[in-house]
Amino acid sequence: MQTDFALDLRRLRRQAGLTQRDCAHLLGVHSKRIWSLEYGRDLPSLTELCTLSLIYGRTFESLYAALLRDVRRELRERLETLPDSRSSSLTFNRPSTLERLSSRLDAEQEGHAG
């Protein structure tokens, strides 16, 4: 499964003149782990992602974009099926919080559609 993130990662490593073994050493992992990341078999841990960002001097929007797209879709589905809550002092802000969430999801979806 090739992903934009995996392709970016491999391209950046090659542009930097580093081997998979070099990257594995810098990350403190086995070189098979680098292969697995570069071929989209696995996603990096948060620590690995931060380390890769430091090594290559950039963030990895390609990873975030795919994850955010999936999370946005799943959150929209759960929001639409959220059960009603009995009114209490604890849920006073609930309607406005849910409306703001819905608005953010709509705005982000429109921003990525065009």
Side-chain angles (χ1 to χ4, degrees):
M1 168 182 91
Q2 287 289 336
T3 64
D4 289 341
F5 170 74
L7 295 171
D8 284 349
L9 193 60
R10 191 172 13 183
R11 180 182 51 76
L12 287 168
R13 179 182 56 77
R14 289 177 177 167
Q15 285 176 347
L18 299 174
T19 65
Q20 286 184 343
R21 190 174 183 182
D22 294 333
C23 288
H25 179 80
L26 292 170
L27 275 149
V29 299
H30 193 277
S31 58
K32 289 180 184 179
R33 176 71 177 147
I34 302 303
W35 181 91
S36 183
L37 294 172
E38 289 186 355
Y39 284 87
R41 302 288 189 251
D42 292 316
L43 291 175
S45 69
L46 186 55
T47 300
E48 290 169 337
L49 187 60
C50 290
T51 304
L52 290 166
S53 292
L54 289 170
I55 291 169
Y56 298 124
R58 65 163 287 194
T59 59
F60 291 97
E61 294 84 6
S62 57
L63 175 62
Y64 304 123
L67 290 174
L68 282 173
R69 187 173 42 251
D70 292 343
V71 167
R72 193 176 296 112
R73 179 185 44 76
E74 292 169 5
L75 186 55
R76 169 57 69 193
E77 290 171 4
R78 288 192 299 269
L79 180 61
E80 291 172 355
T81 60
L82 186 67
D84 288 334
S85 176
R86 285 186 252 162
S87 184
S88 76
S89 61
L90 296 176
T91 61
F92 177 75
N93 288 328
R94 185 176 191 264
S96 59
T97 298
L98 296 176
E99 181 57 38
R100 283 192 307 272
L101 174 57
S102 181
S103 294
R104 280 194 304 272
L105 291 171
D106 290 345
E108 291 168 0
Q109 184 175 1
E110 290 170 11
H112 292 286

